[in-house]
Amino acid sequence: MEPRLTRDKLLESVNEISRSPVKVYSALEDFKEILIEERKKTTPRGLIVDVHTSAPSRIIVFGDIHGDLDTMLELLDRSGSFSELEKDAKVVFLGDYIDRGPKQIETLLAIYLIKKEYGDKVVTLRGNHEPPDYLPVNPHDYPYQLKARYGNVDGERIYGVSKEVFDLLPHAYIVEGKAVFLHGGIPVFRTKECGGDYRCILDVGPHPSKVLEEILWNDPVDDEEIEFTPSPRGAGYLWGPLLTDEFVSKTNVKIIVRGHEPVWSGYKFNHNNRVATIFSRKGSPYYNAYASVMILDVEDLRYEILTI
Ligand SMILES: [Mn+2]
């Protein structure tokens, strides 16, 4: 059976919408509506939970895209994502769709169109480049690219609705007993403070700004001596293997899958293979040799890394 979406159909729709600021605006308004509906099924602050009976059989994970639409389309195609989405699979995007790269609005539109077509089977997480107002990121050339392309007035309006979309993106996805997916990393203070309740650890709860900052910004370090330490990025923390031990034993997940760090080979593992980093874009300014996606079998947690 031909999948409902193909690379060519997706690209054709993206190009058609992106030519018109009116169409871009209404596409992003529609993205908002879809995310508002989704939020009724997540925790109030946007943690998506799959229990054993609702878990997909396979999860295809995309890391940072940062405006590299061409690589993203190639990876969607080569990983069989469209036909997998017709079966019992989910596709998870780990955030950072915009800033850097030539096709930022196109990338955001492609994410929207895939989400629109496949609904809950597509998880579109928030990255630190889809920031709330209190966590500004640098560089953030997306609003300038919008203005250069659509003019000041329309560019400003499209940026406004984009920010409303960003605020509605879920911040984490967990498959109980199996895996957790988020952009940057596990929140260090919550991991220490909460008992065995993963919602306490991963939901942004009563102090949303601090926990969200960590989930969007944290990075793993392999140093056994470090439990956690402030990140040189200026936001979030670096967390070490001891904290991963604590997190996996409290939440009972086996693997933490995240993006956020550019990697030469498109992927890397830390903390004895319990933390996976996936990076799905190429080109300036990182010049990594490969971009990758992870294809994860949920039942036995075996995975394949596809690199291009
Ligand atoms: Mn990032």
Coordinates of all heavy atoms in Angstrom, one line a residue, residues 196-239:
G196 N 10.2 7.4 43.2 CA 10.1 6.5 42.0 C 9.1 7.0 41.0 O 8.7 6.2 40.2
D197 N 8.6 8.2 41.1 CA 7.5 8.7 40.3 C 8.0 9.4 39.1 O 8.5 10.6 39.3 CB 6.5 9.5 41.1 CG 5.4 10.1 40.3 OD1 5.3 9.8 39.1 OD2 4.6 10.9 40.9
Y198 N 8.0 8.8 37.9 CA 8.6 9.5 36.8 C 7.9 10.8 36.4 O 8.5 11.7 35.9 CB 8.7 8.6 35.6 CG 7.4 8.1 35.0 CD1 6.7 9.0 34.2 CD2 6.9 6.9 35.2 CE1 5.5 8.6 33.7 CE2 5.7 6.5 34.6 CZ 5.0 7.4 33.9 OH 3.8 7.0 33.3
R199 N 6.6 10.9 36.8 CA 5.9 12.1 36.5 C 6.5 13.3 37.3 O 6.6 14.4 36.9 CB 4.4 12.0 36.8 CG 3.7 11.2 35.7 CD 2.3 10.9 36.1 NE 1.8 9.8 35.4 CZ 1.0 9.8 34.3 NH1 0.6 11.0 33.8 NH2 0.6 8.8 33.6
C200 N 6.8 12.9 38.6 CA 7.4 13.9 39.4 C 8.7 14.4 38.8 O 9.1 15.6 38.8 CB 7.6 13.4 40.8 SG 8.6 14.4 41.9
I201 N 9.5 13.5 38.3 CA 10.8 13.8 37.7 C 10.7 14.6 36.4 O 11.3 15.6 36.2 CB 11.7 12.6 37.5 CG1 11.9 11.9 38.9 CG2 13.0 12.9 36.8 CD1 12.7 10.6 38.8
L202 N 9.8 14.1 35.5 CA 9.8 14.6 34.2 C 8.8 15.7 33.9 O 8.9 16.4 32.9 CB 9.6 13.5 33.2 CG 10.7 12.5 33.0 CD1 10.3 11.3 32.2 CD2 12.0 13.2 32.4
D203 N 7.7 15.8 34.7 CA 6.7 16.8 34.4 C 7.3 18.1 35.0 O 8.0 18.1 36.0 CB 5.4 16.4 35.0 CG 4.3 16.9 34.1 OD1 4.6 17.6 33.1 OD2 3.1 16.6 34.3
V204 N 7.0 19.2 34.4 CA 7.6 20.4 34.8 C 7.0 21.0 36.0 O 7.6 21.9 36.6 CB 7.8 21.4 33.6 CG1 8.7 20.9 32.6 CG2 6.4 21.8 33.0
G205 N 5.9 20.5 36.5 CA 5.3 20.7 37.8 C 5.3 22.2 38.3 O 5.0 23.1 37.5
P206 N 5.6 22.4 39.6 CA 5.4 23.7 40.2 C 6.5 24.7 39.8 O 6.3 25.9 40.1 CB 5.3 23.4 41.7 CG 6.1 22.1 41.9 CD 5.9 21.4 40.6
H207 N 7.6 24.3 39.3 CA 8.7 25.2 39.0 C 9.0 25.0 37.5 O 10.1 24.6 37.2 CB 9.9 25.0 39.8 CG 9.6 24.9 41.3 ND1 9.2 26.0 42.0 CD2 9.6 23.9 42.2 CE1 9.0 25.7 43.3 NE2 9.2 24.4 43.4
P208 N 8.1 25.3 36.6 CA 8.2 25.0 35.2 C 9.5 25.6 34.6 O 10.2 24.9 33.8 CB 7.0 25.5 34.6 CG 6.4 26.5 35.5 CD 6.8 26.1 36.9
S209 N 9.8 26.8 34.9 CA 10.9 27.4 34.2 C 12.2 26.7 34.4 O 13.0 26.4 33.5 CB 11.0 28.9 34.5 OG 11.2 29.0 35.9
K210 N 12.5 26.3 35.7 CA 13.8 25.7 36.0 C 13.9 24.3 35.4 O 14.9 23.9 34.8 CB 13.9 25.6 37.5 CG 15.3 25.4 38.0 CD 16.2 26.6 37.8 CE 17.6 26.2 37.8 NZ 18.4 26.7 36.6
V211 N 12.8 23.5 35.6 CA 12.9 22.1 35.1 C 12.9 22.1 33.5 O 13.6 21.3 32.9 CB 11.6 21.3 35.6 CG1 11.7 19.9 35.1 CG2 11.6 21.3 37.1
L212 N 12.1 23.0 32.9 CA 12.1 23.1 31.5 C 13.5 23.5 30.9 O 14.0 22.9 30.0 CB 11.0 24.0 31.0 CG 10.8 24.0 29.5 CD1 10.3 22.7 29.0 CD2 9.8 25.1 29.1
E213 N 14.1 24.4 31.6 CA 15.5 24.8 31.2 C 16.4 23.6 31.2 O 17.2 23.4 30.2 CB 16.1 25.8 32.2 CG 17.5 26.2 31.9 CD 18.1 27.1 32.9 OE1 17.4 28.0 33.5 OE2 19.4 27.0 33.1
E214 N 16.3 22.8 32.2 CA 17.2 21.6 32.3 C 16.9 20.6 31.2 O 17.8 20.0 30.5 CB 17.1 20.9 33.6 CG 17.7 21.7 34.7 CD 18.0 20.9 35.9 OE1 18.5 19.8 35.7 OE2 17.6 21.3 37.1
I215 N 15.6 20.3 31.0 CA 15.2 19.3 30.0 C 15.7 19.8 28.6 O 16.1 19.0 27.7 CB 13.7 19.0 30.0 CG1 13.4 18.2 31.3 CG2 13.2 18.3 28.8 CD1 11.9 17.9 31.6
L216 N 15.6 21.1 28.3 CA 15.9 21.6 27.0 C 17.5 21.8 26.8 O 17.9 21.8 25.7 CB 15.2 22.9 26.7 CG 13.7 22.9 26.7 CD1 13.2 24.3 26.3 CD2 13.1 21.9 25.8
W217 N 18.2 22.0 27.9 CA 19.6 22.4 27.8 C 20.7 21.4 28.3 O 21.8 21.6 28.0 CB 19.8 23.7 28.5 CG 19.3 24.9 27.8 CD1 18.0 25.4 27.9 CD2 20.0 25.7 26.9 NE1 17.9 26.5 27.1 CE2 19.1 26.8 26.4 CE3 21.3 25.7 26.4 CZ2 19.5 27.7 25.5 CZ3 21.7 26.7 25.5 CH2 20.7 27.7 25.1
N218 N 20.3 20.4 29.2 CA 21.3 19.6 29.8 C 22.1 18.7 28.8 O 21.5 18.3 27.7 CB 20.7 18.7 30.9 CG 20.3 19.5 32.1 OD1 20.5 20.7 32.1 ND2 19.8 18.8 33.1
D219 N 23.3 18.4 29.1 CA 24.2 17.5 28.3 C 24.8 16.4 29.2 O 25.2 16.8 30.4 CB 25.3 18.3 27.7 CG 24.9 19.3 26.6 OD1 24.2 18.9 25.7 OD2 25.3 20.5 26.7
P220 N 25.0 15.2 28.7 CA 25.8 14.2 29.5 C 27.3 14.4 29.5 O 27.8 14.9 28.5 CB 25.4 12.9 28.8 CG 25.2 13.3 27.4 CD 24.6 14.7 27.4
V221 N 28.0 14.1 30.6 CA 29.4 14.0 30.6 C 29.8 12.6 31.1 O 29.1 12.1 32.0 CB 30.2 15.1 31.4 CG1 30.3 16.3 30.6 CG2 29.5 15.3 32.7
D222 N 30.9 12.0 30.6 CA 31.3 10.7 31.1 C 32.1 10.7 32.4 O 32.4 9.6 32.9 CB 32.0 10.0 29.9 CG 31.0 9.3 29.0 OD1 29.9 8.9 29.4 OD2 31.3 9.3 27.8
D223 N 32.5 11.8 32.8 CA 33.4 11.9 34.0 C 32.7 11.3 35.3 O 31.7 11.8 35.7 CB 33.7 13.3 34.3 CG 34.8 13.5 35.3 OD1 35.0 12.6 36.2 OD2 35.5 14.6 35.3
E224 N 33.3 10.2 35.8 CA 32.7 9.5 36.9 C 32.6 10.3 38.2 O 31.8 10.1 39.1 CB 33.5 8.2 37.3 CG 33.6 7.1 36.2 CD 32.3 6.3 36.1 OE1 31.5 6.4 37.1 OE2 32.1 5.6 35.1
E225 N 33.5 11.3 38.2 CA 33.6 12.2 39.4 C 32.4 13.2 39.5 O 32.1 13.8 40.5 CB 34.9 13.0 39.4 CG 36.2 12.1 39.3 CD 36.3 11.3 40.6 OE1 36.3 11.8 41.7 OE2 36.5 10.0 40.4
I226 N 31.9 13.5 38.3 CA 30.8 14.5 38.2 C 29.4 14.0 38.4 O 29.0 13.1 37.6 CB 30.9 15.3 36.9 CG1 32.3 16.1 36.8 CG2 29.8 16.3 36.7 CD1 32.5 16.8 35.5
E227 N 28.7 14.4 39.4 CA 27.3 14.1 39.5 C 26.5 15.1 38.6 O 25.8 14.7 37.7 CB 26.8 14.1 40.9 CG 25.4 13.5 41.0 CD 25.0 13.5 42.5 OE1 25.4 14.4 43.3 OE2 24.2 12.6 42.8
F228 N 26.7 16.3 38.8 CA 26.3 17.4 37.9 C 27.0 18.7 38.2 O 27.5 18.9 39.3 CB 24.8 17.6 37.9 CG 24.2 18.0 39.3 CD1 24.1 19.4 39.6 CD2 23.9 17.1 40.2 CE1 23.6 19.8 40.8 CE2 23.4 17.5 41.5 CZ 23.3 18.8 41.8
T229 N 27.1 19.5 37.1 CA 27.9 20.7 37.3 C 27.3 21.7 36.3 O 26.7 21.3 35.2 CB 29.4 20.5 37.0 OG1 30.1 21.7 37.3 CG2 29.7 20.0 35.6
P230 N 27.3 23.0 36.5 CA 26.7 24.0 35.6 C 27.3 23.8 34.2 O 28.5 23.5 34.0 CB 27.1 25.3 36.2 CG 27.2 25.1 37.6 CD 27.8 23.7 37.7
S231 N 26.5 24.0 33.2 CA 26.9 23.8 31.8 C 27.7 25.0 31.3 O 27.3 26.1 31.5 CB 25.7 23.5 30.9 OG 26.1 23.5 29.5
P232 N 28.7 24.7 30.5 CA 29.4 25.9 29.8 C 28.6 26.6 28.8 O 28.9 27.7 28.4 CB 30.6 25.2 29.1 CG 30.3 23.8 29.0 CD 29.4 23.5 30.2
R233 N 27.4 26.0 28.5 CA 26.5 26.7 27.5 C 25.8 27.9 28.2 O 25.2 28.7 27.5 CB 25.4 25.7 27.1 CG 25.8 24.6 26.2 CD 24.5 23.8 25.9 NE 24.7 22.5 25.3 CZ 24.5 22.3 24.0 NH1 24.1 23.2 23.2 NH2 24.7 21.1 23.5
G234 N 25.9 28.0 29.5 CA 25.3 29.2 30.2 C 23.9 28.9 30.6 O 23.2 29.8 31.2
A235 N 23.3 27.7 30.3 CA 22.0 27.3 30.8 C 22.1 25.8 31.0 O 22.8 25.1 30.3 CB 20.9 27.7 29.8
G236 N 21.3 25.3 32.0 CA 21.3 23.9 32.2 C 22.6 23.4 32.9 O 23.4 24.2 33.3
Y237 N 22.7 22.0 33.0 CA 23.8 21.4 33.7 C 24.4 20.3 32.8 O 23.7 19.8 31.8 CB 23.3 20.7 34.9 CG 22.8 21.7 36.0 CD1 21.5 22.2 36.0 CD2 23.7 22.2 37.0 CE1 21.1 23.1 36.9 CE2 23.3 23.1 37.9 CZ 22.0 23.5 37.9 OH 21.6 24.5 38.8
L238 N 25.6 19.9 33.1 CA 26.2 18.7 32.6 C 25.9 17.6 33.7 O 26.1 17.9 34.9 CB 27.7 18.8 32.5 CG 28.2 19.9 31.6 CD1 29.7 20.0 31.6 CD2 27.7 19.8 30.2
W239 N 25.4 16.4 33.3 CA 25.1 15.4 34.3 C 26.0 14.2 34.0 O 26.2 13.8 32.8 CB 23.7 15.1 34.4 CG 23.1 14.0 33.5 CD1 23.0 12.7 33.8 CD2 22.6 14.1 32.1 NE1 22.5 12.0 32.7 CE2 22.2 12.8 31.7 CE3 22.5 15.2 31.2 CZ2 21.7 12.6 30.4 CZ3 21.9 15.0 30.0 CH2 21.6 13.7 29.6

